[in-house]
Amino acid sequence: MKPLVEVRGLSAVAGTAVLVDGVDFKVWPGQVTALVGASGSGKTTSALALLGEHGRGVRLSGEVRVDGIDLMSNGADAAAVRGRVVAYMPQHPGSALNPARRIGTAIGELSRLHNHGADGVVEALRAAQLPGDRSTQRRFPHQFSGGQRQRIALAQALACRPKVLVLDEPSTGLDSITRLQLVSELKELTGQGLGILLLSHDLELVRALAQYVVVLDAGRVIDAGGTDVLPAATKLRPRPGTTGTPTPLLQAMNLTASLRARGRDPILQEVELTVPPGGCVGVVGRSGSGKTTLARCLAGLHERHTGRITLSDQPLPVLRKRSAEQARRVQYVWQEVRGSFDERRRVDDQVARTAERLRGVSRVDAKAEAVATLARLGVSAMVAARPPSQLSGGELQRAAIARALLARPDVLICDEITTALDEHGTALVVELLTELQDSGMALVWISHDLGLVAAVADRVLVLEVGRVVEEGPPATVMAKPAHEITERLVRAARLGRSGVAASDPDPGPRTPAVPEDVVPEGAVPEGAVPETVVPEAEPPPVLTSCADTRSEPQR
Amino acid sequence: MRSYAAQRAALAVIQLAVLSILVFLLTALLPGDAADMRFTETLTPDQVARLRSQLGLDEPAIERFTHWFGNVLTGDLGTSLISGGSVADIVKASVGATLVLTLATLAVVVPLAVVLGLVMGTRENGRLDRVITSITLALSAIPDFVIAVVLITLFSLKLGWLPATWVGGDLPANPALLVLPVAVLLGRTVCLLSRQVRAGTINALNAEYVVQARRLGVPRRQLLLRHVLPNAAVPGVQELARTGDTLLGGVLVVEAIFAIPGFATALVDGVETRDVPVVQGLTLVLAVAALLINLAADLVCNRLVPRTELLR
């Protein structure tokens, strides 16, 4: 079988900077090829070359052959490829929908454009698992939820009936259950003969999907082969956890929160939470289950709540009524941090400011402490001296963690702090936080990833529609999930690990064209206590450097 | 959409009520009244006082307002203190010319601004963009009356191609009458609008959804007309509603220069003679027109890009 896409020696040069240097990869029909690497490693640049596209001032060279057309030869028309052969799905595809157009019109336009007038709207919607009826087609993008918008974007891409689908970080921002669903849907698409090029730093997703992996670092291929080239992961068992009742440091009693005044639209109901000194309480749940609201209540940012919150047995008021000392003792790191940094000031100064303001440390000492903490988290002093717009999402996320840590808090509330991080970055964060925990800092760790939470927390709370549906030590929750939603979270936590391979055998026929070195996923026997995988603190150099030395300027 | 329109219409009714009070208050604040104005000419103080009570000007303001407002609700705008004719007739007689002038200007301005805006937006900071920007900015910087005088001198006096005034002209029979007034009104409006369309185009061109459409192979022409333009037009439409008053100010000057018997002329005459019912009637009609224009613009925008949060 011939590959659909053949890239040989692709280089991209902007001025004197080499963005991509001699990259080779192929995409076969019905197979998934993954380009793996941290942001800035050249994944997107390489993938966009398949559309004949490059950034301003970037020169491409090498050979890019898509469905028999050599895009790099003179006079080649990339327009013949766009959509029709290669469809590209950007990161956050849901925001790439035109707000002014009905979805049926937009999909119909693409369908007619690429299929000689055939109207494939209903088919495309169905392939993306959306209802194809007329009223759905007449709706505008803003009338759909975030998840549905992603499907609409997929339907748009599928309406072009491409041969190759390029997916740029498709799992970003998905909760773990939705991510699991994505895996099975993508497998279904490859079963229909579609070739997929997957760009991701989500190694678990890659392990679950890809037949062929190309590892990129700073624009170079540093390894290629089957999923076995991915850095090995250490297996960590969920913590046994504690069962006793220690003296609480932070406690929430009968906490109920609502969106509107006087308790209308409640989003959190009768939540009880106790955090002991040096302990870690994990909170898991799907998106929309009230996790962030709980964090905001504890941080004092959500004022429409009833119930009692105490810190060392003293009532803890809302943030604007907290004393400086109370503000210092409870710190909050949230998910989308870019907006919380001043665009015009250096990141390290902003991180240092917490120590100056809340602890009265001198400017020089605060700066030194900021730089040291950032370095521990893998953000070099050079990077931290830049304004926030020049840091990648992952770097900024770690800067936000450092900023909170500089207050030397007694309780740190972490709301999905690892979603923007790759495995190595996550490992660094977990390492530092565990160390601080040993010296007495308590953690409230909120995440949709039960696997990660189970590995760091002493106690796990499962939230669903604003209520605690299950609570217990991580090992117990993972081994004997009592609630249906917990069970789904446990299953989702095993993505790319033994669970998926065992429960979901190879869906499509494997073609003999797969390269020799591709190793099919084997079924690994499951242990009595499910194992979660957390990356090693020191992964092989493969993915270490890429996460930290390069940043992708974002605006 | 429908509930949004109903909501906006309900709001418009309240705005109208407040407006009518304002109109009445402001005209009541004008120094002197119609009787005073005539006093200087022929009448004795005694006669003025009689005239004042005859015209009802000596009644308390509240009483005058309720009387006037009640009449307005029944569609009666009152009678002119000067000519004795019905205000409604005066409005009808004056509104035609202004309406024709405004519509003719818009008919030229809107397509022109859209085309210029698209051309500039697609060539951001290119040579063409800078040339068009310079010309439109220069045009908008020159006061209307200067442009008017220059145009009249050139085309009417020197070349004799176009009539300099509207006096005695019948519009449908002679569209050449419109050319110079419209040309004068064009400058600033086209500049403001095309800048907005340009900004909208640049925004839309950089938006993820346009980049994505391009990557999915939508050809350039289709991309501009179907994907970019509806989004780019939104700031333009809102600007158009906002420039309504600018245009009206321009119409005032233009009507004066070209001796067009329009709305503005009637308004100025009314103020000069303190013909309060006429001023009130004209102002009210004007306010209603402004409200309707803004309502229409909001509805159009909501239809173009149906995101309600855009308008709230």
Side-chain angles (χ1 to χ4, degrees):
Chain A
M1 192 181 286
K2 268 179 63 182
L4 283 167
V5 171
E6 230 173 324
V7 173
R8 258 196 221 114
L10 176 72
S11 296
V13 182
T16 55
V18 180
L19 306 177
V20 172
D21 187 6
V23 166
D24 307 295
F25 62 88
K26 291 177 185 171
V27 180
W28 281 271
Q31 302 282 331
V32 178
T33 300
L35 295 187
V36 178
S39 48
S41 57
K43 300 189 301 273
T44 304
T45 311
S46 306
L48 285 179
L50 304 188
L51 301 171
E53 191 178 319
H54 52 79
R56 203 168 283 182
V58 176
R59 268 186 310 114
L60 294 178
S61 57
E63 192 188 335
V64 178
R65 199 173 277 282
V66 176
D67 199 28
I69 307 168
D70 184 3
L71 291 180
M72 305 301 271
S73 70
N74 286 332
D77 191 10
V81 171
R82 286 182 197 162
R84 197 162 302 184
V85 183
V86 182
Y88 176 85
M89 288 276 285
Q91 201 172 355
H92 306 298
S95 58
L97 299 174
N98 195 328
R101 313 193 77 202
R102 298 181 197 278
I103 65 155
T105 320
I107 296 172
E109 178 191 32
L110 289 165
S111 178
R112 278 189 298 278
L113 202 63
H114 293 298
N115 307 311
H116 307 288
D119 185 35
V121 182
V122 179
E123 281 167 53
L125 283 170
R126 205 162 292 151
Q129 322 236 340
L130 281 165
D133 61 290
R134 206 171 141 61
S135 71
T136 309
Q137 288 189 32
R138 283 187 59 76
R139 282 157 77 188
F140 288 95
H142 75 278
Q143 291 167 315
F144 292 90
S145 75
Q148 283 173 318
R149 280 206 290 271
Q150 291 202 337
R151 287 168 191 283
I152 296 166
L154 180 64
Q156 282 193 359
L158 294 178
C160 304
R161 302 213 189 122
K163 295 177 180 167
V164 180
L165 189 62
V166 182
L167 297 161
D168 197 346
E169 302 285 4
S171 62
T172 314
L174 297 185
D175 68 46
S176 48
I177 290 176
T178 318
R179 199 171 63 147
L180 190 66
Q181 214 172 336
L182 176 81
V183 169
S184 67
E185 280 164 21
L186 292 181
K187 282 189 174 169
E188 203 170 300
L189 287 176
T190 54
Q192 292 158 16
L194 193 70
I196 290 184
L197 180 63
L198 178 67
L199 319 180
S200 187
H201 65 229
D202 180 349
L203 299 188
E204 293 166 9
L205 183 77
V206 172
R207 279 190 202 105
L209 272 176
Q211 281 85 38
Y212 190 67
V213 178
V214 177
V215 184
L216 291 182
D217 179 33
R220 281 169 197 273
V221 177
I222 49 174
D223 211 345
T227 43
D228 54 331
V229 304
L230 294 173
T234 3
K235 291 182 177 177
L236 276 189
R237 281 166 193 284
R239 292 188 172 196
T242 48
T243 40
T245 45
T247 45
L249 174 65
L250 178 72
Q251 200 170 15
M253 279 157 281
N254 196 18
L255 187 65
T256 298
S258 60
L259 275 182
R260 300 201 290 161
R262 291 183 299 281
R264 282 175 295 168
D265 294 348
I267 33 179
L268 206 58
Q269 289 182 22
E270 295 152 24
V271 172
E272 306 274 336
L273 175 102
T274 306
V275 191
C280 177
V281 173
V283 180
V284 291
R286 307 193 58 170
S287 46
S289 59
K291 304 190 298 289
T292 295
T293 309
L294 175 59
R296 287 171 53 84
C297 283
L298 297 177
L301 291 168
H302 191 98
E303 302 194 355
R304 282 173 180 160
H305 70 251
T306 57
R308 249 169 81 83
I309 302 174
T310 58
L311 181 68
S312 306
D313 291 328
Q314 297 293 314
L316 193 60
V318 296
L319 184 63
R320 56 195 170 87
K321 292 183 187 152
R322 283 182 194 176
S323 65
E325 178 62 10
Q326 281 172 324
R328 181 193 69 75
R329 292 183 66 188
V330 181
Q331 286 289 311
Y332 174 35
V333 185
W334 54 93
Q335 193 174 3
E336 196 43 65
V337 295
R338 195 166 285 277
S340 69
F341 281 92
D342 182 345
E343 275 302 314
R344 285 171 211 81
R345 287 164 56 214
R346 295 163 48 153
V347 170
D348 52 1
D349 286 346
Q350 298 188 48
V351 170
R353 194 90 176 120
T354 331
E356 283 176 53
R357 288 284 301 236
L358 292 175
R359 282 174 33 226
V361 177
S362 79
R363 178 164 293 195
V364 181
D365 294 348
K367 182 73 171 280
E369 204 177 312
V371 170
T373 311
L374 283 166
R376 273 292 308 267
L377 293 173
V379 181
S380 69
M382 207 180 68
V383 171
R386 299 178 188 155
S389 60
Q390 293 180 22
L391 267 67
S392 72
E395 286 162 344
L396 216 50
Q397 182 72 56
R398 281 173 280 177
I401 297 168
R403 184 175 57 183
L405 287 177
L406 248 65
R408 300 257 171 89
D410 293 345
V411 181
L412 182 68
I413 304 162
C414 308
D415 187 0
E416 302 278 14
I417 57 169
T418 57
T419 41
L421 302 179
D422 55 25
E423 290 194 354
H424 176 59
T426 307
L428 287 175
V429 169
V430 170
E431 194 186 84
L432 179 60
L433 292 186
T434 316
E435 197 180 297
L436 289 169
Q437 210 184 327
D438 290 340
S439 61
M441 184 178 78
L443 284 171
V444 177
W445 192 296
I446 293 170
S447 176
H448 60 74
D449 186 352
L450 181 56
L452 178 65
V453 168
V456 294
D458 313 313
R459 214 172 164 71
V460 175
L461 260 68
V462 182
L463 277 185
E464 176 69 357
V465 278
R467 286 180 188 277
V468 177
V469 292
E470 187 164 356
E471 186 181 357
T476 321
V477 172
M478 287 291 276
K480 298 191 201 82
H483 194 269
E484 182 253 337
I485 197 75
T486 321
E487 206 173 310
R488 289 175 67 186
L489 285 164
V490 170
R491 237 183 304 137
R494 291 184 213 150
L495 170 63
R497 302 161 192 150
S498 52
V500 169
S503 63
D504 190 357
D506 191 11
R510 264 180 210 287
T511 46
V514 189
E516 286 291 317
D517 50 358
V518 170
V519 179
E521 293 162 7
V524 178
E526 263 180 88
V529 176
E531 285 163 334
T532 47
V533 183
V534 154
E536 283 177 89
E538 287 291 320
V542 179
L543 288 177
T544 335
S545 49
C546 50
D548 311 304
T549 53
R550 314 228 342 159
S551 68
E552 189 177 44
Q554 292 179 353
R555 280 188 291 153
Chain B
M1 177 78 185
R2 229 165 267 154
S3 70
Y4 177 75
Q7 199 184 322
R8 286 302 313 260
L11 192 65
V13 170
I14 299 171
Q15 285 172 320
L16 268 182
V18 174
L19 258 172
S20 61
I21 296 174
L22 276 179
V23 165
F24 187 85
L25 276 180
L26 291 175
T27 48
L29 285 176
L30 281 174
D33 58 25
D36 279 331
M37 288 298 129
R38 283 199 238 173
F39 169 61
T40 50
E41 294 162 16
T42 52
L43 303 176
T44 65
D46 222 24
Q47 285 172 302
V48 169
R50 217 176 318 133
L51 184 63
R52 189 168 285 151
S53 74
Q54 197 186 330
L55 294 173
L57 296 176
D58 52 353
E59 287 169 33
I62 305 241
E63 222 161 284
R64 273 186 289 150
F65 175 72
T66 41
H67 184 68
W68 174 76
F69 193 65
N71 281 345
V72 166
L73 285 184
T74 58
D76 176 15
L77 289 175
T79 46
S80 164
L81 301 182
I82 305 300
S83 68
S86 131
V87 172
D89 287 342
I90 296 178
V91 170
K92 257 180 239 159
S94 63
V95 85
T98 305
L99 206 61
V100 168
L101 192 57
T102 313
L103 287 181
T105 310
L106 287 182
V108 181
V109 161
V110 171
L112 190 63
V114 166
V115 169
L116 287 182
L118 275 181
V119 167
M120 288 193 285
T122 47
R123 294 167 179 73
E124 188 187 354
N125 295 332
R127 189 175 294 166
L128 199 54
D129 178 23
R130 278 177 291 164
V131 168
I132 298 175
T133 301
S134 314
I135 294 176
T136 50
L137 276 180
L139 273 182
S140 78
I142 307 173
D144 292 342
F145 60 88
V146 175
I147 299 182
V149 169
V150 171
L151 287 180
I152 291 173
T153 316
L154 192 65
F155 291 101
S156 304
L157 304 183
K158 283 259 155 63
L159 297 169
W161 290 352
L162 295 162
T165 61
W166 196 324
V167 174
D170 181 32
L171 194 74
N174 202 353
L177 283 173
L178 272 175
V179 175
L180 284 184
V182 166
V184 172
L185 286 173
L186 206 68
R188 178 164 312 148
T189 326
V190 121
C191 173
L192 285 171
L193 272 184
S194 63
R195 298 302 296 169
Q196 293 292 341
V197 176
R198 173 184 183 269
T201 307
I202 292 171
N203 264 343
L205 277 176
N206 290 325
E208 278 183 66
Y209 50 83
V210 169
V211 173
Q212 177 64 1
R214 188 185 295 136
R215 282 177 182 160
L216 289 178
V218 178
R220 187 176 164 78
R221 219 185 132 79
Q222 207 165 332
L223 194 72
L224 276 182
L225 293 181
R226 297 231 201 121
H227 294 248
V228 173
L229 192 55
N231 289 286
V234 168
V237 172
Q238 280 164 345
E239 181 66 25
L240 191 63
R242 250 179 276 133
T243 48
D245 50 340
T246 323
L247 203 58
L248 207 85
V251 169
L252 195 88
V253 174
V254 166
E255 283 184 10
I257 291 175
F258 293 95
I260 300 167
F263 211 88
T265 320
L267 193 61
V268 171
D269 287 350
V271 172
E272 273 176 355
T273 56
R274 298 297 183 275
D275 195 348
V276 173
V278 172
V279 175
Q280 285 170 338
L282 289 172
T283 320
L284 196 64
V285 170
L286 216 59
V288 172
L291 268 181
L292 289 180
I293 289 172
N294 276 294
L295 180 61
D298 282 355
L299 292 180
V300 167
C301 289
N302 200 23
R303 174 61 196 84
L304 279 175
V305 180
R307 282 175 298 193
T308 41
E309 66 268 19
L310 197 77
L311 301 166
R312 285 210 177 123

